[in-house]
Amino acid sequence: FLHDCPRNLYFRVHHHLHLLTGDDWTQEVPADKFAIAVTTRSGQRFSLGDTTDFFCLQSVSKIGTYCEALKLHGTEKTHQHVGREPSGQSFNAMTLKEVPRAERSAIPHNPCINAGAIMCTSLNHPTLKESRRLAEYVTSIISCV
């Protein structure tokens, strides 16, 4: 299947994604890298492509951070601090969504923009030291695999 699909070499790796090849964090990520992995609910795993290559989670980690906030605080409390609507802005835009509440004038539009991910991170284990917070996050992500 994978080898029958022509690789899409018409896109450009974004300029800030120049991390990640072994110990040389300055080397560009090759544009021809591709992998896909699927895990079923029963635990069966299937993967194809460049699945042993290292890569940076970057914005993918935003989903885990959001899920952890939902798990710890529930939907209602989490969404008092971060919205769930598309912003129409770039992922790194410095904009907030106006909210009709006396205690707060604005919140990040959603957890998938940088401001929303930062807010979700602040909700996750705020009383723990940073190293312990990271350990809790990693443990939570690993437990989903």
Side-chain angles (χ1 to χ4, degrees):
F1 159 77
L2 181 68
H3 302 293
D4 294 336
C5 297
R7 295 198 183 243
N8 179 358
L9 300 178
Y10 299 105
F11 72 92
R12 181 178 57 86
V13 176
H14 196 277
H15 69 276
H16 78 279
L17 298 180
H18 55 76
L19 314 171
L20 304 177
T21 320
D23 292 328
D24 184 359
W25 294 99
T26 62
Q27 190 173 357
E28 293 255 345
V29 175
D32 65 343
K33 294 292 182 181
F34 179 79
I36 186 167
V38 176
T39 302
T40 67
R41 292 179 76 176
S42 65
Q44 295 175 315
R45 295 180 185 186
F46 179 73
S47 59
L48 288 170
D50 302 309
T51 58
T52 60
D53 290 3
F54 291 102
F55 67 96
C56 184
L57 290 178
Q58 300 250 348
S59 289
V60 173
S61 67
K62 294 174 183 177
I63 303 304
T65 304
Y66 174 52
C67 290
E68 182 75 357
L70 290 172
K71 183 175 83 173
L72 292 171
H73 304 290
T75 303
E76 187 175 334
K77 181 171 180 181
T78 300
H79 289 289
Q80 289 174 0
H81 300 279
V82 62
R84 54 181 136 191
E85 299 173 8
S87 67
Q89 304 290 321
S90 173
F91 74 95
N92 59 352
M94 300 297 285
T95 61
L96 295 173
K97 171 185 171 182
E98 297 297 321
V99 292
R101 288 191 207 113
E103 71 273 5
R104 182 174 289 124
S105 61
I107 60 173
H109 287 274
N110 64 64
C112 294
I113 60 173
N114 288 353
I118 292 167
M119 180 60 77
C120 287
T121 299
S122 71
L123 291 171
N124 295 341
H125 309 286
T127 60
L128 298 178
K129 290 183 177 182
E130 289 178 12
S131 60
R132 190 71 210 137
R133 289 176 79 179
L134 178 60
E136 289 292 331
Y137 174 73
V138 170
T139 301
S140 176
I141 298 301
I142 290 172
S143 69
C144 293
V145 177

